[in-house]
Amino acid sequence: MNIQRLTDGVSIRRQLADGTEQQLQAVKEIIEAVRTDGDAALLRFAKKWDKAELSALKVTPEEIRQAVERFDPQLLADLKEAADNIRNYHEGQQQQGYHQDRADGSYVAQRVTAIESAGLYVPGGTAAYPSSVLMNVIPAQVAGVGRIVVVSPPDHEGKLSDGVLVAAHILGIEELYKTGGAQAIAALAYGTQSIQPVDKITGPGNIFVALAKREVNGDVAIDMIAGPSEIAIIADDSAYADEVAADLLSQAEHDPLASAVLLTESRALAEQVAAQVKSQLATLPREAIAAASIRDHGAIYLADSRAELIRAANQLAPEHLEIMTEDAEALAEEIDHAGAIFIGRYSSEPIGDYFAGTNHVLPTNSTARFSSALSVYDFVKRTSIVHYSEQAWRDNQEKIARLARLEGLEAHARAVESRAWKKESQS
């Protein structure tokens, strides 16, 4: 990993392309094909890109039953415990709305209700992610979403991984479909013969999934445009170089475009971590992917002060930020921008990916400056409620009319005043 010094003139904010024109055009064509041909397009694309010959898109109860029977009992127990942790955490996000009564007999209120349907994308391809099933589905269930649809790309045998099937079984998911990529996003947004459209689509995916979500946004709601995974680590001489390197590689193995960054004041630690990354890479099963990530998007930055470290971390606004310093909790209080913060030596980032209960669907590409982790809040809507009493109308209608005319909206003013005219004509 390259070691370089931080200066005020060096920007380390993550910048990734939004896809090529060729990729964007391909996504538009895929979406149009699904809108036109429905299931036939999904089956055609499964054969073309997943090398899967499918006769049907929906996963059957028998496929799920067989997966559960094959599954290791200890792993099943682990997934169930992880699901419990995730559910407990997200239950703290439930909102009840509120009601404000006023002395004149009027009231205003906010009602919180769940969206009716959600489509949840679970990545496949180079790895299968049962944890993503838990992270997407559980917040929707806690929110009270009535219909939950899960889509995921099949392998070349036309199957979903046992882990994904078992995770869906644990959560009681009945609509699970074998389709991925931009075509899955199109199916969720516009519907096909097998898949009814949904109100919101969530979940990360590759560049084609991200571009497709951007294209359908507005016709259907989306959570975010997720990019490749990111980790930044702030560490001092109290940290162990092998542990820092292992945590950097935990994200690098996701994708050649993943980013892994160390921020430190210690040159000795920087050099030790660089050596450890090189050594540990050689033994990783996904060495080629992780090596490309480290080569192209990995870096070690040396800072002259704690203030410079904090400024750099907030500028980067990473998806995951680990703090491995003697004063980790105090330093964490100074971080304003991060998707998730992991405090202390024993809070390795994968703990959040799988087990702590927090959500691992997080903002990337510096968007943690203005957005948040997937949560119950993503699956509810808030409705404003107004009830004006006659007294409240009498006290305020002239003020409202004046404000409307200030903006040149005469019909607005007359709408409020019309009640006055009607009252006078009835007296």
Side-chain angles (χ1 to χ4, degrees):
M1 296 181 76
N2 294 327
I3 301 175
Q4 52 189 298
R5 185 157 293 281
L6 271 175
T7 67
D8 288 340
V10 175
S11 173
I12 63 168
R13 184 176 294 187
R14 186 116 149 100
Q15 297 293 339
L16 288 174
D18 291 329
T20 65
E21 284 297 322
Q22 184 179 10
Q23 288 171 330
L24 181 57
Q25 183 58 37
V27 165
K28 290 181 177 180
E29 291 174 0
I30 291 167
I31 291 173
E32 184 56 32
V34 173
R35 296 188 74 170
T36 302
D37 298 335
D39 284 356
L42 298 181
L43 296 172
R44 187 166 68 247
F45 292 138
K47 182 177 181 179
K48 180 177 181 180
W49 289 309
D50 302 314
K51 310 303 180 186
E53 292 274 3
L54 300 178
S55 57
L57 296 163
K58 190 174 184 179
V59 173
T60 66
E62 180 63 17
E63 288 177 282
I64 294 175
R65 186 190 64 77
Q66 291 177 0
V68 173
E69 288 180 352
R70 288 191 298 263
F71 210 62
D72 178 81
Q74 183 58 61
L75 279 175
L76 178 61
D78 294 341
L79 275 177
K80 287 181 176 178
E81 188 173 352
D84 288 341
N85 292 342
I86 296 164
R87 191 174 300 278
N88 288 339
Y89 177 82
H90 287 83
E91 283 175 347
Q93 298 171 348
Q94 291 174 304
Q95 295 179 315
Q96 303 302 319
Y98 56 86
H99 186 105
Q100 297 177 346
D101 289 310
R102 296 175 178 172
D104 57 16
S106 64
Y107 64 83
V108 291
Q110 184 179 87
R111 180 184 298 159
V112 180
T113 55
I115 62 175
E116 290 188 1
S117 59
L120 315 178
Y121 189 91
V122 176
T126 58
Y129 298 99
S131 60
S132 287
V133 178
L134 305 183
M135 294 292 180
N136 277 272
V137 170
I138 291 173
Q141 290 181 331
V142 172
V145 176
R147 175 174 167 254
I148 296 174
V149 182
V150 175
V151 295
S152 190
D155 63 19
H156 66 278
E157 295 181 351
K159 300 176 180 178
L160 299 187
S161 77
D162 283 356
V164 168
L165 295 176
V166 170
H169 166 75
I170 290 171
L171 301 179
I173 295 301
E174 296 181 355
E175 284 195 68
L176 180 58
Y177 297 95
K178 305 172 187 178
T179 182
Q183 60 270 29
I185 302 302
L188 292 172
Y190 304 114
T192 70
Q193 292 85 348
S194 295
I195 305 173
Q196 294 301 303
V198 299
D199 295 317
K200 187 165 188 174
I201 301 171
T202 73
N206 63 18
I207 186 62
F208 294 98
V209 170
L211 291 174
K213 287 172 72 176
R214 181 172 293 167
E215 283 296 303
V216 304
N217 187 27
D219 291 332
V220 63
I222 63 170
D223 54 345
M224 64 185 83
I225 306 295
S229 189
E230 304 163 350
I231 187 170
I233 300 176
I234 299 175
D236 62 16
D237 282 321
S238 69
Y240 293 87
D242 60 330
E243 295 172 2
V244 174
D247 288 359
L248 291 170
L249 290 171
S250 74
Q251 298 310 292
E253 73 172 349
H254 270 298
D255 190 309
L257 295 177
S259 171
V261 171
L262 170 62
L263 304 168
T264 184
E265 296 176 71
S266 171
R267 176 167 286 279
L269 179 67
E271 292 174 350
Q272 292 166 12
V273 169
Q276 278 290 327
V277 166
K278 182 177 180 180
S279 173
Q280 292 182 31
L281 263 174
T283 64
L284 283 180
R286 294 166 67 87
E287 177 188 2
I289 292 172
S293 165
I294 293 297
R295 181 189 67 237
D296 297 333
H297 300 284
I300 298 174
Y301 291 100
L302 283 174
D304 292 326
S305 67
R306 171 193 174 105
E308 194 173 49
L309 286 176
I310 293 166
R311 186 165 55 247
N314 280 322
Q315 182 187 47
L316 187 58
E319 178 186 19
H320 310 99
L321 176 66
E322 288 188 8
I323 303 177
M324 301 170 71
T325 63
E326 289 185 342
D327 59 345
E329 291 199 46
L331 198 156
E333 292 297 320
E334 300 186 63
I335 300 299
D336 297 319
H337 309 303
I341 301 173
F342 301 81
I343 301 173
R345 177 186 176 191
Y346 297 102
S347 303
S348 178
E349 187 281 333
I351 292 171
D353 274 350
Y354 296 108
F355 211 72
T358 55
N359 207 290
H360 77 201
V361 181
L362 297 164
T364 61
N365 199 21
S366 297
T367 59
R369 296 182 63 84
F370 52 80
S371 57
S372 309
L374 187 71
S375 68
V376 172
Y377 313 129
D378 285 288
F379 297 101
V380 298
K381 48 192 174 63
R382 299 162 188 86
T383 303
S384 300
I385 298 172
V386 178
H387 175 267
Y388 248 38
S389 65
E390 181 175 349
Q391 186 61 51
W393 163 75
R394 285 186 181 278
D395 292 344
N396 297 294
Q397 57 97 7
E398 291 182 0
K399 304 169 194 175
I400 297 165
R402 283 195 296 269
L403 291 173
R405 290 190 172 104
L406 173 66
E407 296 187 347
L409 298 174
E410 181 62 24
H412 280 61
R414 292 182 185 180
V416 175
E417 292 173 337
S418 68
R419 276 72 178 166
W421 299 332
K422 192 169 294 181
K423 286 289 182 182
E424 290 167 1
S425 66
Q426 292 172 352
S427 60

